[in-house]
Amino acid sequence: MVPKRLRHGSLSRTIAAVFFTMLLTPLTLLQRSPNLIGRLFFLVCMAVFFSGCAQTEKQADQSHLYWPKPPDPPRFIYTTTLRSEDSIRALTNEERFRIAVTGNNLKTRRILAKPFGVAAGNGLVVVTDSIRKMGFIFNLRRKRLYPFGNVGKKGLLTKPLGVALDRNGQVYVVDGKARKVFVYDAVGMFLREFADPSDLDRPVGVAVSMDGARVYVVDAGGIDSERHRVVVYDQKGSRLSVIGKRGVGDGEFNLPTQVAVAPDKTLYVLDGGNFRVQAFTPQGKFLRAWGENGRNFGNFARPRGLAIDADGYVYVSDAAFRNVQVFTPEGQLLLAIGGEGLQDKPGQFALPAGLAVDERGHVYIVDQLFAKVDVLRRLSEGETGQVVAARKAKAIGTKIK
């Protein structure tokens, strides 16, 4: 969890105003003023620091963002937002001290211009940016950011859109302008490319099977094209088969946008123009479909992103609803997470797009207008029970007062 850093009382601000201009850290104060007064100042600053941390932790417990909203039991919680390397790197002692005595968040740099796709797994989060014509690999374990696709003679991206990760940490990016798939390693070094541009009209999405043997590329076709379909390649880039064609029947597509592979190997395709999700076997045999155009829960208006979690639940982002709807594998709506926001705030979206879920239950939601990736986490049953119990205890305490 990354708690919000909250404001402190007037005493903290007063002490900070007196002493913070003199020093960068309490240690600096001690070094500059080794006499008794300096040591007293040091102890006061440290007291402010630790009381501030305690206040922050205590108040943060009261300010979590959960979905769904009360009185329903919570199932998801907001954790953080990714914008740049500042979002994942560890804070220095100086930065922690600044936050403690001032109560203000540090400014986070923004490197994303118009993010589109996102993929996540094994400590990596990969984001494509169609305006900057490159991608970014957030390595959460190393707390490092690796840009890729913008330098060198090979692997240069011109319009990166969908992105996927395989079990070995290789990154697959579909380029809408080049009409190819580019493959990079876990630090962004170019490995290979495949797909004959003549095979694809308008590639927008990509997914990789669990064993890495099949790569599925969504070809949205376009208004004047009949090639609305999913093209299947092997790991080396040889074309194996084609799933679907333009139409409204079972197994047919109209402007498909994304594709995802479930743990049971079921292939899901977001059929945007037909406002539905379709499910197939790995070989492309139609299984089922659900969804329709509308403004009610469970409907689709402008579906953009698709992801599957470890339990097979299906997540769909919608740019019109400005949220993410969660379905069972059979298409039953469970809940919606996130919501519309006119301001760039946690869990609020103006133009949601790409979507991913990692093996730990973290949900990554791209917002193109706010140029961010919000991270939510699915709660365990135990965590849900704790929150419900805390709410009941608080309600009882309020009634007693």
Side-chain angles (χ1 to χ4, degrees):
M1 278 296 299
V2 179
K4 292 183 177 179
R5 285 108 179 198
L6 305 175
R7 296 179 181 176
H8 299 268
S10 58
L11 177 61
S12 298
R13 289 194 294 269
T14 302
I15 296 175
V18 174
F19 299 116
F20 193 67
T21 55
M22 297 170 56
L23 7 136
L24 294 177
T25 65
L27 180 59
T28 304
L29 176 58
L30 184 60
Q31 292 172 341
R32 293 183 179 181
S33 304
N35 55 29
L36 178 61
I37 296 178
R39 293 178 185 276
L40 289 175
F41 285 174
F42 169 73
L43 293 175
V44 171
C45 288
M46 290 300 292
V48 173
F49 176 78
F50 288 113
S51 65
C53 291
Q55 282 191 46
T56 300
E57 184 174 348
K58 180 178 179 181
Q59 295 181 33
D61 290 340
Q62 302 172 0
S63 61
H64 291 322
L65 294 176
Y66 295 107
W67 291 270
K69 301 299 182 183
D72 294 325
R75 299 297 176 185
F76 291 86
I77 184 173
Y78 167 82
T79 63
T80 191
T81 296
L82 301 179
R83 301 185 192 275
S84 71
E85 190 171 13
D86 292 342
S87 306
I88 59 174
R89 68 177 176 84
L91 294 177
T92 65
N93 290 334
E94 177 186 332
E95 289 169 335
R96 291 192 185 96
F97 182 66
R98 287 178 184 271
I99 293 169
V101 298
T102 65
N104 295 324
N105 284 321
L106 299 172
K107 290 185 178 180
T108 300
R109 292 173 295 166
R110 302 191 179 206
I111 60 171
L112 301 173
K114 191 176 182 181
F116 184 92
V118 60
N122 296 319
L124 302 178
V125 181
V126 187
V127 183
T128 58
D129 193 310
S130 58
I131 294 295
R132 297 202 62 184
K133 302 179 181 180
M134 61 189 299
F136 300 91
I137 300 173
F138 292 82
N139 190 311
L140 304 183
R141 293 171 182 168
R142 295 182 181 179
K143 301 186 183 302
R144 293 283 305 275
L145 179 71
Y146 300 95
F148 68 93
N150 62 327
V151 295
K153 296 182 179 180
K154 295 183 178 181
L156 289 176
L157 296 169
T158 54
K159 191 177 182 181
L161 298 175
V163 59
L165 275 167
D166 68 15
R167 62 183 179 181
N168 297 318
Q170 291 188 356
V171 179
Y172 297 73
V173 179
V174 64
D175 192 303
K177 186 174 181 180
R179 291 183 290 169
K180 291 182 178 181
V181 176
F182 294 88
V183 186
Y184 307 84
D185 67 13
V187 294
M189 299 298 293
F190 174 72
L191 297 176
R192 62 187 182 279
E193 63 183 59
F194 62 85
D196 188 329
S198 63
D199 283 345
L200 304 168
D201 285 344
R202 190 180 159 211
V204 292
V206 61
V208 184
S209 63
M210 303 298 289
D211 60 4
R214 292 171 178 259
V215 181
Y216 302 92
V217 179
V218 176
D219 191 348
I223 297 176
D224 299 325
S225 172
E226 295 298 318
R227 298 203 293 187
H228 297 223
R229 57 191 186 164
V230 176
V231 183
V232 187
Y233 299 88
D234 66 17
Q235 195 174 37
K236 296 181 179 179
S238 299
R239 195 174 92 168
L240 299 176
S241 62
V242 173
I243 302 173
K245 62 178 182 179
R246 188 169 192 176
V248 297
D250 292 344
E252 297 178 342
F253 306 111
N254 181 28
L255 299 174
T257 58
Q258 294 297 332
V259 60
V261 180
D264 65 357
K265 300 183 180 181
T266 300
L267 182 71
Y268 290 88
V269 181
L270 185 56
D271 189 6
N274 286 325
F275 305 98
R276 64 184 179 181
V277 175
Q278 297 198 64
F280 300 83
T281 67
Q283 293 74 33
K285 180 182 178 181
F286 173 80
L287 295 174
R288 58 187 175 274
W290 74 84
E292 61 181 351
N293 186 20
R295 303 294 298 183
N296 299 316
F297 290 113
N299 294 157
F300 300 120
R302 196 180 171 193
R304 298 287 303 278
L306 175 70
I308 317 295
D309 71 13
D311 293 320
Y313 293 121
V314 181
Y315 298 66
V316 180
S317 62
D318 197 299
F321 298 154
R322 297 176 176 86
N323 67 7
V324 174
Q325 297 186 97
V326 185
F327 300 87
T328 66
E330 293 72 33
Q332 178 186 354
L333 177 67
L334 297 176
L335 76 159
I337 55 180
E340 180 178 1
L342 299 178
Q343 296 180 341
D344 183 359
K345 295 182 178 180
Q348 295 187 3
F349 307 102
L351 191 60
L355 190 61
V357 184
D358 68 15
E359 69 279 1
R360 299 174 301 160
H362 289 82
V363 184
Y364 302 83
I365 308 170
V366 169
D367 189 287
Q368 293 186 292
L369 184 62
F370 293 146
K372 67 175 182 177
V373 180
D374 268 3
V375 186
L376 282 60
R377 182 175 61 83
R378 183 178 165 189
L379 298 173
S380 66
E381 290 297 328
E383 289 174 315
T384 294
Q386 290 175 1
V387 175
V388 171
R391 288 175 177 174
K392 289 181 179 179
K394 183 178 179 181
I396 293 174
T398 302
K399 289 181 180 179
I400 292 176
K401 291 180 181 180

mmCIF file of all heavy atoms in Angstrom, residues 64-68 73-79 309 313 315 326 334-338 357 361-363 376-379 384 391:
data_model
loop_
_atom_site.group_PDB
_atom_site.id
_atom_site.type_symbol
_atom_site.label_atom_id
_atom_site.label_comp_id
_atom_site.label_asym_id
_atom_site.label_seq_id
_atom_site.Cartn_x
_atom_site.Cartn_y
_atom_site.Cartn_z
ATOM 1 N N HIS A 64 -8.894 4.961 2.955
ATOM 2 C CA HIS A 64 -8.781 4.026 1.850
ATOM 3 C C HIS A 64 -9.950 4.187 0.898
ATOM 4 O O HIS A 64 -11.072 4.516 1.299
ATOM 5 C CB HIS A 64 -8.738 2.584 2.365
ATOM 6 C CG HIS A 64 -7.486 2.244 3.116
ATOM 7 N ND1 HIS A 64 -6.250 2.703 2.752
ATOM 8 C CD2 HIS A 64 -7.279 1.461 4.213
ATOM 9 C CE1 HIS A 64 -5.342 2.230 3.580
ATOM 10 N NE2 HIS A 64 -5.933 1.483 4.483
ATOM 11 N N LEU A 65 -9.679 3.933 -0.374
ATOM 12 C CA LEU A 65 -10.736 3.928 -1.383
ATOM 13 C C LEU A 65 -11.092 2.484 -1.700
ATOM 14 O O LEU A 65 -10.235 1.716 -2.126
ATOM 15 C CB LEU A 65 -10.267 4.649 -2.649
ATOM 16 C CG LEU A 65 -10.003 6.149 -2.515
ATOM 17 C CD1 LEU A 65 -9.459 6.690 -3.832
ATOM 18 C CD2 LEU A 65 -11.279 6.881 -2.133
ATOM 19 N N TYR A 66 -12.347 2.137 -1.474
ATOM 20 C CA TYR A 66 -12.809 0.776 -1.707
ATOM 21 C C TYR A 66 -13.894 0.747 -2.775
ATOM 22 O O TYR A 66 -14.621 1.727 -2.962
ATOM 23 C CB TYR A 66 -13.398 0.179 -0.421
ATOM 24 C CG TYR A 66 -12.420 -0.014 0.707
ATOM 25 C CD1 TYR A 66 -12.445 0.817 1.823
ATOM 26 C CD2 TYR A 66 -11.494 -1.058 0.681
ATOM 27 C CE1 TYR A 66 -11.556 0.624 2.881
ATOM 28 C CE2 TYR A 66 -10.608 -1.253 1.735
ATOM 29 C CZ TYR A 66 -10.642 -0.406 2.825
ATOM 30 O OH TYR A 66 -9.767 -0.593 3.863
ATOM 31 N N TRP A 67 -13.983 -0.418 -3.423
ATOM 32 C CA TRP A 67 -15.098 -0.687 -4.339
ATOM 33 C C TRP A 67 -15.605 -2.095 -4.064
ATOM 34 O O TRP A 67 -14.777 -3.005 -3.848
ATOM 35 C CB TRP A 67 -14.642 -0.577 -5.806
ATOM 36 C CG TRP A 67 -14.323 0.814 -6.196
ATOM 37 C CD1 TRP A 67 -15.178 1.755 -6.721
ATOM 38 C CD2 TRP A 67 -13.047 1.461 -6.112
ATOM 39 N NE1 TRP A 67 -14.509 2.947 -6.943
ATOM 40 C CE2 TRP A 67 -13.195 2.778 -6.577
ATOM 41 C CE3 TRP A 67 -11.786 1.040 -5.686
ATOM 42 C CZ2 TRP A 67 -12.148 3.681 -6.637
ATOM 43 C CZ3 TRP A 67 -10.736 1.928 -5.727
ATOM 44 C CH2 TRP A 67 -10.920 3.236 -6.199
ATOM 45 N N PRO A 68 -16.932 -2.294 -4.093
ATOM 46 C CA PRO A 68 -17.969 -1.271 -4.240
ATOM 47 C C PRO A 68 -18.081 -0.410 -2.984
ATOM 48 O O PRO A 68 -17.482 -0.717 -1.950
ATOM 49 C CB PRO A 68 -19.242 -2.101 -4.454
ATOM 50 C CG PRO A 68 -18.973 -3.388 -3.753
ATOM 51 C CD PRO A 68 -17.500 -3.650 -3.932
ATOM 52 N N PRO A 73 -20.046 -4.936 0.896
ATOM 53 C CA PRO A 73 -18.696 -5.264 1.384
ATOM 54 C C PRO A 73 -17.655 -4.952 0.315
ATOM 55 O O PRO A 73 -17.883 -5.192 -0.875
ATOM 56 C CB PRO A 73 -18.776 -6.765 1.670
ATOM 57 C CG PRO A 73 -19.927 -7.266 0.863
ATOM 58 C CD PRO A 73 -20.909 -6.139 0.800
ATOM 59 N N PRO A 74 -16.499 -4.420 0.703
ATOM 60 C CA PRO A 74 -15.477 -4.030 -0.283
ATOM 61 C C PRO A 74 -14.793 -5.238 -0.891
ATOM 62 O O PRO A 74 -14.555 -6.241 -0.225
ATOM 63 C CB PRO A 74 -14.499 -3.200 0.545
ATOM 64 C CG PRO A 74 -14.610 -3.773 1.921
ATOM 65 C CD PRO A 74 -16.057 -4.143 2.094
ATOM 66 N N ARG A 75 -14.466 -5.121 -2.177
ATOM 67 C CA ARG A 75 -13.760 -6.189 -2.890
ATOM 68 C C ARG A 75 -12.446 -5.716 -3.488
ATOM 69 O O ARG A 75 -11.556 -6.524 -3.763
ATOM 70 C CB ARG A 75 -14.664 -6.745 -4.005
ATOM 71 C CG ARG A 75 -15.962 -7.354 -3.496
ATOM 72 C CD ARG A 75 -15.689 -8.550 -2.599
ATOM 73 N NE ARG A 75 -16.926 -9.103 -2.026
ATOM 74 C CZ ARG A 75 -16.949 -10.083 -1.135
ATOM 75 N NH1 ARG A 75 -15.823 -10.604 -0.691
ATOM 76 N NH2 ARG A 75 -18.102 -10.522 -0.662
ATOM 77 N N PHE A 76 -12.322 -4.403 -3.706
ATOM 78 C CA PHE A 76 -11.096 -3.850 -4.283
ATOM 79 C C PHE A 76 -10.707 -2.597 -3.516
ATOM 80 O O PHE A 76 -11.556 -1.881 -2.990
ATOM 81 C CB PHE A 76 -11.286 -3.505 -5.770
ATOM 82 C CG PHE A 76 -11.437 -4.700 -6.663
ATOM 83 C CD1 PHE A 76 -12.682 -5.287 -6.860
ATOM 84 C CD2 PHE A 76 -10.338 -5.253 -7.308
ATOM 85 C CE1 PHE A 76 -12.837 -6.397 -7.664
ATOM 86 C CE2 PHE A 76 -10.482 -6.358 -8.124
ATOM 87 C CZ PHE A 76 -11.734 -6.937 -8.306
ATOM 88 N N ILE A 77 -9.389 -2.334 -3.495
ATOM 89 C CA ILE A 77 -8.864 -1.155 -2.814
ATOM 90 C C ILE A 77 -7.853 -0.455 -3.722
ATOM 91 O O ILE A 77 -7.082 -1.113 -4.431
ATOM 92 C CB ILE A 77 -8.209 -1.548 -1.472
ATOM 93 C CG1 ILE A 77 -7.734 -0.312 -0.708
ATOM 94 C CG2 ILE A 77 -7.055 -2.523 -1.686
ATOM 95 C CD1 ILE A 77 -7.223 -0.626 0.701
ATOM 96 N N TYR A 78 -7.858 0.863 -3.712
ATOM 97 C CA TYR A 78 -6.856 1.633 -4.457
ATOM 98 C C TYR A 78 -5.517 1.548 -3.739
ATOM 99 O O TYR A 78 -5.452 1.665 -2.506
ATOM 100 C CB TYR A 78 -7.291 3.098 -4.567
ATOM 101 C CG TYR A 78 -6.192 4.020 -5.043
ATOM 102 C CD1 TYR A 78 -5.900 4.144 -6.397
ATOM 103 C CD2 TYR A 78 -5.430 4.756 -4.129
ATOM 104 C CE1 TYR A 78 -4.880 4.987 -6.829
ATOM 105 C CE2 TYR A 78 -4.410 5.593 -4.557
ATOM 106 C CZ TYR A 78 -4.139 5.702 -5.911
ATOM 107 O OH TYR A 78 -3.128 6.529 -6.332
ATOM 108 N N THR A 79 -4.439 1.351 -4.507
ATOM 109 C CA THR A 79 -3.116 1.274 -3.886
ATOM 110 C C THR A 79 -2.187 2.406 -4.305
ATOM 111 O O THR A 79 -1.551 3.029 -3.460
ATOM 112 C CB THR A 79 -2.438 -0.069 -4.188
ATOM 113 O OG1 THR A 79 -2.216 -0.194 -5.598
ATOM 114 C CG2 THR A 79 -3.294 -1.236 -3.710
ATOM 115 N N ASP A 309 -8.255 -12.342 -14.612
ATOM 116 C CA ASP A 309 -7.433 -12.560 -13.425
ATOM 117 C C ASP A 309 -7.185 -14.043 -13.192
ATOM 118 O O ASP A 309 -7.605 -14.900 -13.991
ATOM 119 C CB ASP A 309 -8.044 -11.873 -12.195
ATOM 120 C CG ASP A 309 -9.323 -12.534 -11.692
ATOM 121 O OD1 ASP A 309 -9.640 -13.667 -12.121
ATOM 122 O OD2 ASP A 309 -10.006 -11.923 -10.840
ATOM 123 N N TYR A 313 -11.942 -14.402 -13.711
ATOM 124 C CA TYR A 313 -12.892 -13.296 -13.833
ATOM 125 C C TYR A 313 -12.457 -12.361 -14.961
ATOM 126 O O TYR A 313 -11.265 -12.141 -15.181
ATOM 127 C CB TYR A 313 -13.002 -12.532 -12.518
ATOM 128 C CG TYR A 313 -13.637 -13.343 -11.404
ATOM 129 C CD1 TYR A 313 -12.950 -13.585 -10.214
ATOM 130 C CD2 TYR A 313 -14.916 -13.870 -11.536
ATOM 131 C CE1 TYR A 313 -13.516 -14.335 -9.192
ATOM 132 C CE2 TYR A 313 -15.490 -14.624 -10.520
ATOM 133 C CZ TYR A 313 -14.794 -14.858 -9.356
ATOM 134 O OH TYR A 313 -15.360 -15.603 -8.355
ATOM 135 N N TYR A 315 -12.429 -8.695 -16.836
ATOM 136 C CA TYR A 315 -12.480 -7.261 -16.570
ATOM 137 C C TYR A 315 -12.579 -6.509 -17.898
ATOM 138 O O TYR A 315 -11.788 -6.771 -18.817
ATOM 139 C CB TYR A 315 -11.221 -6.802 -15.840
ATOM 140 C CG TYR A 315 -11.005 -7.421 -14.474
ATOM 141 C CD1 TYR A 315 -10.751 -8.795 -14.329
ATOM 142 C CD2 TYR A 315 -11.036 -6.643 -13.330
ATOM 143 C CE1 TYR A 315 -10.544 -9.355 -13.077
ATOM 144 C CE2 TYR A 315 -10.819 -7.197 -12.059
ATOM 145 C CZ TYR A 315 -10.580 -8.558 -11.960
ATOM 146 O OH TYR A 315 -10.377 -9.115 -10.714
ATOM 147 N N VAL A 326 -16.596 -6.013 -13.850
ATOM 148 C CA VAL A 326 -16.014 -7.329 -13.580
ATOM 149 C C VAL A 326 -17.110 -8.383 -13.741
ATOM 150 O O VAL A 326 -18.179 -8.280 -13.133
ATOM 151 C CB VAL A 326 -15.418 -7.403 -12.168
ATOM 152 C CG1 VAL A 326 -14.699 -8.736 -11.960
ATOM 153 C CG2 VAL A 326 -14.461 -6.239 -11.929
ATOM 154 N N LEU A 334 -20.492 -8.881 -11.758
ATOM 155 C CA LEU A 334 -20.254 -8.934 -10.327
ATOM 156 C C LEU A 334 -20.268 -7.550 -9.700
ATOM 157 O O LEU A 334 -20.931 -7.314 -8.707
ATOM 158 C CB LEU A 334 -18.917 -9.628 -10.042
ATOM 159 C CG LEU A 334 -18.818 -11.086 -10.474
ATOM 160 C CD1 LEU A 334 -17.409 -11.622 -10.214
ATOM 161 C CD2 LEU A 334 -19.851 -11.938 -9.743
ATOM 162 N N LEU A 335 -19.520 -6.626 -10.279
ATOM 163 C CA LEU A 335 -19.439 -5.265 -9.758
ATOM 164 C C LEU A 335 -18.704 -4.383 -10.744
ATOM 165 O O LEU A 335 -18.141 -4.868 -11.736
ATOM 166 C CB LEU A 335 -18.730 -5.231 -8.412
ATOM 167 C CG LEU A 335 -17.194 -5.372 -8.405
ATOM 168 C CD1 LEU A 335 -16.624 -4.803 -7.105
ATOM 169 C CD2 LEU A 335 -16.783 -6.814 -8.562
ATOM 170 N N ALA A 336 -18.699 -3.078 -10.462
ATOM 171 C CA ALA A 336 -17.926 -2.108 -11.236
ATOM 172 C C ALA A 336 -16.941 -1.425 -10.297
ATOM 173 O O ALA A 336 -17.265 -1.169 -9.127
ATOM 174 C CB ALA A 336 -18.835 -1.079 -11.883
ATOM 175 N N ILE A 337 -15.739 -1.145 -10.783
ATOM 176 C CA ILE A 337 -14.722 -0.475 -9.981
ATOM 177 C C ILE A 337 -14.267 0.789 -10.694
ATOM 178 O O ILE A 337 -14.270 0.876 -11.914
ATOM 179 C CB ILE A 337 -13.522 -1.396 -9.686
ATOM 180 C CG1 ILE A 337 -12.928 -1.949 -10.988
ATOM 181 C CG2 ILE A 337 -13.938 -2.530 -8.780
ATOM 182 C CD1 ILE A 337 -11.730 -2.860 -10.771
ATOM 183 N N GLY A 338 -13.886 1.785 -9.884
ATOM 184 C CA GLY A 338 -13.526 3.079 -10.455
ATOM 185 C C GLY A 338 -14.769 3.869 -10.776
ATOM 186 O O GLY A 338 -15.907 3.423 -10.550
ATOM 187 N N VAL A 357 -4.299 -7.387 -15.256
ATOM 188 C CA VAL A 357 -4.369 -7.925 -13.899
ATOM 189 C C VAL A 357 -3.175 -8.855 -13.720
ATOM 190 O O VAL A 357 -2.945 -9.732 -14.555
ATOM 191 C CB VAL A 357 -5.675 -8.702 -13.650
ATOM 192 C CG1 VAL A 357 -5.740 -9.154 -12.189
ATOM 193 C CG2 VAL A 357 -6.895 -7.855 -13.987
ATOM 194 N N GLY A 361 -3.317 -10.189 -8.073
ATOM 195 C CA GLY A 361 -4.634 -9.567 -7.972
ATOM 196 C C GLY A 361 -4.632 -8.062 -8.085
ATOM 197 O O GLY A 361 -5.649 -7.416 -7.802
ATOM 198 N N HIS A 362 -3.514 -7.474 -8.518
ATOM 199 C CA HIS A 362 -3.480 -6.032 -8.758
ATOM 200 C C HIS A 362 -4.068 -5.735 -10.143
ATOM 201 O O HIS A 362 -3.717 -6.395 -11.124
ATOM 202 C CB HIS A 362 -2.051 -5.494 -8.677
ATOM 203 C CG HIS A 362 -1.496 -5.488 -7.294
ATOM 204 N ND1 HIS A 362 -0.957 -6.606 -6.708
ATOM 205 C CD2 HIS A 362 -1.406 -4.498 -6.364
ATOM 206 C CE1 HIS A 362 -0.546 -6.310 -5.486
ATOM 207 N NE2 HIS A 362 -0.812 -5.048 -5.247
ATOM 208 N N VAL A 363 -4.919 -4.731 -10.196
ATOM 209 C CA VAL A 363 -5.571 -4.324 -11.436
ATOM 210 C C VAL A 363 -4.961 -3.003 -11.891
ATOM 211 O O VAL A 363 -4.920 -2.029 -11.122
ATOM 212 C CB VAL A 363 -7.094 -4.152 -11.248
ATOM 213 C CG1 VAL A 363 -7.774 -3.815 -12.570
ATOM 214 C CG2 VAL A 363 -7.701 -5.422 -10.645
ATOM 215 N N LEU A 376 -5.225 -0.852 -8.526
ATOM 216 C CA LEU A 376 -6.146 -1.313 -7.500
ATOM 217 C C LEU A 376 -5.774 -2.748 -7.139
ATOM 218 O O LEU A 376 -5.091 -3.423 -7.902
ATOM 219 C CB LEU A 376 -7.592 -1.261 -7.988
ATOM 220 C CG LEU A 376 -8.310 0.091 -8.016
ATOM 221 C CD1 LEU A 376 -7.607 1.104 -8.915
ATOM 222 C CD2 LEU A 376 -9.755 -0.082 -8.503
ATOM 223 N N ARG A 377 -6.238 -3.213 -5.994
ATOM 224 C CA ARG A 377 -5.940 -4.576 -5.587
ATOM 225 C C ARG A 377 -7.199 -5.273 -5.114
ATOM 226 O O ARG A 377 -8.001 -4.684 -4.375
ATOM 227 C CB ARG A 377 -4.883 -4.595 -4.476
ATOM 228 C CG ARG A 377 -4.498 -6.009 -4.030
ATOM 229 C CD ARG A 377 -3.355 -5.965 -3.025
ATOM 230 N NE ARG A 377 -3.701 -5.239 -1.811
ATOM 231 C CZ ARG A 377 -4.365 -5.780 -0.779
ATOM 232 N NH1 ARG A 377 -4.780 -7.035 -0.832
ATOM 233 N NH2 ARG A 377 -4.616 -5.046 0.293
ATOM 234 N N ARG A 378 -7.347 -6.507 -5.527
ATOM 235 C CA ARG A 378 -8.475 -7.318 -5.074
ATOM 236 C C ARG A 378 -8.219 -7.790 -3.646
ATOM 237 O O ARG A 378 -7.154 -8.330 -3.342
ATOM 238 C CB ARG A 378 -8.661 -8.507 -6.007
ATOM 239 C CG ARG A 378 -9.860 -9.382 -5.682
ATOM 240 C CD ARG A 378 -9.972 -10.495 -6.702
ATOM 241 N NE ARG A 378 -10.872 -11.539 -6.251
ATOM 242 C CZ ARG A 378 -11.024 -12.716 -6.865
ATOM 243 N NH1 ARG A 378 -10.318 -12.972 -7.962
ATOM 244 N NH2 ARG A 378 -11.862 -13.611 -6.392
ATOM 245 N N LEU A 379 -9.178 -7.585 -2.768
ATOM 246 C CA LEU A 379 -9.046 -7.947 -1.374
ATOM 247 C C LEU A 379 -9.314 -9.434 -1.159
ATOM 248 O O LEU A 379 -10.126 -10.041 -1.856
ATOM 249 C CB LEU A 379 -10.023 -7.141 -0.512
ATOM 250 C CG LEU A 379 -9.848 -5.620 -0.505
ATOM 251 C CD1 LEU A 379 -10.984 -4.969 0.259
ATOM 252 C CD2 LEU A 379 -8.514 -5.235 0.109
ATOM 253 N N THR A 384 -11.677 -8.340 3.495
ATOM 254 C CA THR A 384 -13.037 -7.822 3.370
ATOM 255 C C THR A 384 -13.762 -7.911 4.706
ATOM 256 O O THR A 384 -14.437 -6.963 5.134
ATOM 257 C CB THR A 384 -13.811 -8.607 2.298
ATOM 258 O OG1 THR A 384 -13.224 -8.371 1.024
ATOM 259 C CG2 THR A 384 -15.271 -8.181 2.252
ATOM 260 N N ARG A 391 -16.256 -1.215 10.033
ATOM 261 C CA ARG A 391 -17.382 -0.328 9.729
ATOM 262 C C ARG A 391 -18.495 -0.504 10.750
ATOM 263 O O ARG A 391 -19.103 0.472 11.213
ATOM 264 C CB ARG A 391 -17.904 -0.607 8.317
ATOM 265 C CG ARG A 391 -16.995 -0.129 7.195
ATOM 266 C CD ARG A 391 -17.545 -0.551 5.849
ATOM 267 N NE ARG A 391 -16.732 -0.055 4.752
ATOM 268 C CZ ARG A 391 -16.938 -0.374 3.476
ATOM 269 N NH1 ARG A 391 -17.927 -1.199 3.150
ATOM 270 N NH2 ARG A 391 -16.157 0.122 2.528
#
